[in-house]
Every structure is written in C-alpha cells, then in structure tokens.
Amino acid sequence: MNEKPLIYKGRAASSNMVSRFDPHTRESLDDGWGSLDEEAPPLQTEVMLDASRSVINYIQSPDLPFDRTLNPYRGCEHGCIYCYARPTHAYLGMSPGLDFESRLLMKADAVALLKKELAHPKYQCKPIALGMNTDGYQPIEREYQLTRQIIQVLSESNHPFSLVTKSSLVERDIDLIAPMAAKRLASIYVSITTLDRQVARRLEPRAAAPERRFETLRRLSEAGIPTGVMVAPVIPALTDCDMEQILEKAHEAGARKAGYVFLRLPHELSDLFQEWLQQYFPLKAQHVMSIVRQSRGGKDYQSEFGQRMRGEGIFADLLAHRFKLSCLKLGISGERTGFCTDLFSVPAAWQATANHPQLALF
C-alpha cells in the first residue's frame, strides 16, 4: 500500500526528500492511530543569513546569453515544484524538497559586496542577470528589499542588468527600472508556465496568478521598459498546449522578446517532480515522464550544453518548431535586448570603501 503524501498548504513539495549527499534515508510510519492520515501542520518560512563573500557569479555556458548572475536569496518561497535550482539546497545540507521553499537564506551584505566588486580596478562591465537561480522578487523580498537595493546600486553606477521573475512585485521598482531602461540599461522577462489557474496553483503555489503576470508585463511595457516572456518550463502533456496562447497574450501585453525552456529534472528534482505528478495528476504521470525520457535520450535529464534547455527527439523538435512559428507570426524576437555598457562608472565613494574596507565600520 502506497504511503499517502502530506499536503502542506501553499507548498508544492510534499516531502523533505533526502539529498544526494545524505548518507541516511527517512521513512514515515503509521503509529497505529492513523497519524499518516492527519493534515500536515502549517509550515512556516524560516529566513537565515547567507555568509557569502561575493555576490557576482561568473559562468561559462553557450546556452545562456550572459556570463554573470546575482542571486540575493537561496531557496525560493514561490515553491515551484519544477525548479531546477532545488538540488542546490543539498549543498547547504538541506533538502531540495520542503526545505528549499521554506528554509531560505538572504545575503544581507549583498549591497556592500556588490559595490566592492564593481569598484575593483579590474572589473569589466557586462550585463548582470538577476535572480537566475531563485527569484529575486519572491515573497520575502517585500520585507528585505535586497533586489530593490541591488537595482539602486546598479542605477547609481549605470550598470546594465536583466531579470526574470514570476512575481508582480517587480512593479514596485518601476521608478528605478524605467529610467535605466531609457538608457538601455535594463530589461525584464516574466516567466509564465501555464494559463490554467488550477495547474498553476499546484505547480507554483506562491507565485503570481497567470493573468496577473500578463498585467505586470503590460505595466512594465507602458513604463517604457523592454519586456519579454519566458515560457518556462514547458511540461509535455501538461502545459505545452498553452505555448502559442501564452506568446499571443504576452505580445498583446507589450512583450517583444521571448524564450522557452524544456522541463529540466536534475538530481533529486526528478523524484520530487514525479512524486508531485502522482499526487495531483496520477493518470497523466506515466505519459508525461514517457515524453520527457523520449526527449532526454532515455533518461530523466541531460546536462550537456545544447540539449539541457531544449531536449532532443521528435517532441523537442516539434516544440522548437512551434515556438519559432509563433514568434515569426507575432513579430517576437528570440534575441536579448542590446545593452549599453559605455555609461558605467563607479562613484568615488565606492572606490574609497573598496580600497579601505575598514572605513565602513565608522
């Protein structure tokens, strides 16, 4: 008899599955009093300090149009069950399951570290991609405002950036982003996975509703900010049917750029996602995973450059063809907006702090 999974309100994962580094496993047992049939207790979000010594992450990937990222938070309260960043929580000694969406880390020194890194004499200005691992506008941003403070720093130095989010909270910072966009220093992408509210609530329990994200696109576009839509991830037999309509509605809202990513299931994420499928879509679970494996060389995931974002095989090729045709029809470009790097300059006060960090104590 299969164990009945717990359902935590506002959470996508139903377990704290052990990480690939954990030598022990855990198993729930019924004590004879029907304990496994009880409702799950409320799961509160815990925020801890991140002691990172730097904030700019340099990457080398032919799949990505940028070479550096910045993530103010680790873990994400949006709780998207498909999030490819979930396995990174294992490096922190925590579970990629419920821990990822409820035990979060925030980089309290992000602003000071960013100023120091930008002021380094050898720093070369290129666009920074914000929140590429976890969303910079997840719910705890309302309180900590790290993303807003980071954008303020980028604004003061005329440093270009791009950002992808599932949150309408980005509208709060239009006052900072719009003037930067006017100088070709900013662009915003909104990620939209499905048009089905019920599916979205189960997939992305604490992200903005799909229609609210289209409204965010409209407001950003009306403010003169270059916008795009990311149809990500595309889940076969569950959300792929919405691709064309998402692109159409995003275009109507002002988006002129677009991209998509085929479902990625690295490491522990494969088991977590399949657990979620069995819980909410048991009749589709086998079909979904069958197409995933057909598109991943018989595996749950491919990590090779050139395939990890798009997949391979008939379904992946068809998906790429559908995306291309829709973009051609709508006049949407798949290329990222060109940024200006010539305006970058470091305020004198930052240089003094970078050269004499002890002065920051007084």
Side-chain angles (χ1 to χ4, degrees), residues 214-282:
F214 288 114
E215 178 64 17
T216 294
L217 273 174
R218 185 186 65 77
R219 293 183 181 181
L220 293 171
S221 300
E222 289 178 350
I225 300 170
T227 59
V229 61
M230 286 296 297
V231 187
V234 177
I235 304 174
L238 189 62
T239 69
D240 70 281
C241 58
D242 290 335
M243 173 183 276
E244 287 82 0
Q245 196 171 353
I246 289 174
L247 291 170
E248 290 175 8
K249 291 175 70 66
H251 183 266
E252 291 172 1
R256 294 298 178 265
K257 305 289 181 179
Y260 81 95
V261 178
F262 186 73
L263 178 67
R264 300 171 60 188
L265 299 175
H267 301 300
E268 299 91 345
L269 183 54
S270 178
D271 288 339
L272 282 165
F273 182 74
Q274 291 184 66
E275 183 179 65
W276 179 88
L277 276 176
Q278 289 294 340
Q279 181 173 341
Y280 292 109
F281 299 96

Side-chain angles (χ1 to χ4, degrees), residues 71-324:
N71 296 284
Y73 307 103
R74 296 198 198 192
C76 186
E77 202 175 8
H78 280 160
C80 305
I81 192 60
Y82 51 70
C83 183
Y84 61 82
R86 281 183 178 271
T88 63
H89 238 46
Y91 294 115
L92 304 175
M94 291 185 275
S95 170
L98 289 168
D99 281 350
F100 176 81
E101 51 193 282
S102 62
R103 301 183 67 193
L104 316 178
L105 284 82
M106 54 89 70
K107 300 178 181 179
D109 296 331
V111 170
L113 290 171
L114 179 59
K115 288 181 178 180
K116 180 180 178 181
E117 292 176 48
L118 295 183
H120 195 282
K122 294 185 178 180
Y123 181 77
Q124 295 183 348
C125 178
K126 289 185 179 181
I128 292 178
L130 297 183
M132 292 298 109
N133 201 45
T134 55
D135 202 318
Y137 283 105
Q138 60 179 284
I140 61 171
E141 166 66 13
R142 296 184 183 277
E143 177 181 354
Y144 294 103
Q145 300 193 29
L146 287 182
T147 299
R148 179 175 177 83
Q149 295 174 51
I150 287 167
I151 293 176
Q152 180 68 56
V153 169
L154 298 176
S155 175
E156 292 173 5
S157 58
N158 284 319
H159 194 295
F161 79 95
S162 63
L163 185 148
V164 179
T165 183
K166 288 180 168 65
S167 174
S168 60
L169 182 58
V170 65
E171 297 170 14
R172 178 200 64 189
D173 296 338
I174 286 178
D175 62 317
L176 293 177
I177 301 172
M180 294 184 70
K183 295 184 284 186
R184 292 174 50 219
L185 296 174
S187 69
I188 307 295
Y189 279 68
V190 176
S191 177
I192 303 174
T193 312
T194 178
L195 299 177
D196 190 313
R197 286 177 58 90
Q198 294 302 317
V199 173
R201 182 172 289 279
R202 292 169 176 173
L203 270 177
E204 317 153 324
R206 298 198 177 194
E211 61 270 21
R212 184 67 181 87
R213 294 182 224 178
F214 288 114
E215 178 64 17
T216 294
L217 273 174
R218 185 186 65 77
R219 293 183 181 181
L220 293 171
S221 300
E222 289 178 350
I225 300 170
T227 59
V229 61
M230 286 296 297
V231 187
V234 177
I235 304 174
L238 189 62
T239 69
D240 70 281
C241 58
D242 290 335
M243 173 183 276
E244 287 82 0
Q245 196 171 353
I246 289 174
L247 291 170
E248 290 175 8
K249 291 175 70 66
H251 183 266
E252 291 172 1
R256 294 298 178 265
K257 305 289 181 179
Y260 81 95
V261 178
F262 186 73
L263 178 67
R264 300 171 60 188
L265 299 175
H267 301 300
E268 299 91 345
L269 183 54
S270 178
D271 288 339
L272 282 165
F273 182 74
Q274 291 184 66
E275 183 179 65
W276 179 88
L277 276 176
Q278 289 294 340
Q279 181 173 341
Y280 292 109
F281 299 96
L283 299 182
K284 287 187 175 183
Q286 185 175 354
H287 184 42
V288 171
M289 291 308 301
S290 174
I291 299 177
V292 167
R293 290 167 184 141
Q294 291 173 45
S295 305
R296 294 292 188 188
K299 300 179 291 186
D300 290 355
Y301 180 57
Q302 294 168 305
S303 59
E304 297 84 4
F305 292 140
Q307 294 180 331
R308 59 177 185 156
M309 300 292 192
R310 296 289 182 264
E312 63 180 13
I314 296 176
F315 183 87
D317 291 344
L318 178 60
L319 201 63
H321 186 64
R322 288 170 55 192
F323 179 79
K324 182 179 180 180

